[in-house]
Amino acid sequence: AEPGAAMLRRSLWLCLCLCSCPGRGLRIHEYLYFQVLSPGDIRYIFTATPAKDFGGVFNTRYDQIHLVPADPPEACGELNNGVFIQDQIALVERGGCSFLSKTRVIQEHGGRAVIIADNAYDNDSFYIEMIQDSTRRTADIPALFLLGRDGYMIRRSLEQHGLPWAIISIPVNVTSIPTYEMMQPPWTFW
């Protein structure tokens, strides 16, 4: 099937799931979409998956919020740029500690959510299931998993433009966007 048809099927499936479970938010194996608004060279709609058994859900739509790459990228401890993460969304890299630990670090710095990109930069199709670690800790902010290629391309664009963050819209309802208007990353097959 052509990519547009696959996207339409996925969008319809997502709509059915969300419509059948009002007020419950996204469940595992569902997708959440966000759009990079700036910088313009990566102005695409990206797909992410929510953590399986920890973190919150998006109860608010953010039309323009900063996506701030964490420093250090793995966000396993104190952040050098924590002040910029407050009230924003952090872009974190997988590795070094558990997904829950990363989420808690971002939450402790006042972040509204965390997007954890795979550290395998060539990963353009395999979503990792983010699960609770063996501790009894919790996290209240949403935690999303992003393909490694997508995370790499976002960070690379920011570096090339000398920008400290991207501006994104999250979540994006792709069911309201005609398939032919979907701005998808050219390196990812939908």
Side-chain angles (χ1 to χ4, degrees):
E2 78 180 69
M7 182 64 208
L8 180 59
R9 281 192 304 276
R10 184 185 296 175
S11 297
L12 289 173
W13 177 81
L14 176 63
C15 181
L16 288 172
C17 290
L18 291 176
C19 292
S20 65
C21 301
R24 292 190 54 201
L26 292 171
R27 298 186 317 254
I28 188 62
H29 299 305
E30 293 179 359
Y31 299 97
L32 186 135
Y33 301 93
F34 69 94
Q35 182 175 20
V36 172
L37 304 173
S38 175
D41 62 329
I42 54 168
R43 191 178 169 101
Y44 300 116
I45 294 177
F46 293 90
T47 304
T49 56
K52 179 180 180 181
D53 56 5
F54 69 89
V57 296
F58 279 93
N59 294 319
T60 302
R61 174 170 156 58
Y62 300 100
D63 289 320
Q64 291 189 5
I65 192 166
H66 294 164
L67 177 63
V68 182
D71 178 23
E74 291 179 344
C76 291
E78 189 61 33
L79 300 177
N80 298 324
N81 65 339
V83 66
F84 297 112
I85 300 234
Q86 185 170 352
D87 292 324
Q88 306 303 321
I89 297 176
L91 178 61
V92 172
E93 192 170 293
R94 179 182 177 205
C97 61
S98 72
F99 293 120
L100 177 59
S101 293
K102 295 172 185 301
T103 304
R104 288 183 53 85
V105 166
I106 299 307
Q107 180 175 306
E108 290 164 7
H109 282 86
R112 294 185 186 249
V114 61
I115 298 175
I116 303 171
D118 196 355
N119 56 0
Y121 298 151
D122 60 344
N123 178 9
D124 61 3
S125 61
F126 182 70
Y127 289 91
I128 304 288
E129 189 173 80
M130 297 192 311
I131 59 172
Q132 172 77 266
D133 58 20
S134 59
T135 67
R136 295 182 187 258
R137 300 174 302 163
T138 61
D140 299 320
I141 64 171
L144 305 171
F145 182 82
L146 181 66
L147 297 174
R149 175 68 57 88
D150 292 345
Y152 169 77
M153 296 300 277
I154 292 169
R155 283 190 301 274
R156 187 181 84 167
S157 176
L158 294 176
E159 289 171 10
Q160 288 174 341
H161 293 287
L163 297 172
W165 51 69
I167 298 174
I168 67 170
S169 177
I170 188 170
V172 172
N173 180 359
V174 296
T175 61
S176 66
I177 302 171
T179 304
Y180 62 88
E181 289 183 12
M182 291 287 290
M183 290 295 297
Q184 306 158 16
W187 55 87
T188 303
F189 178 75
W190 290 40

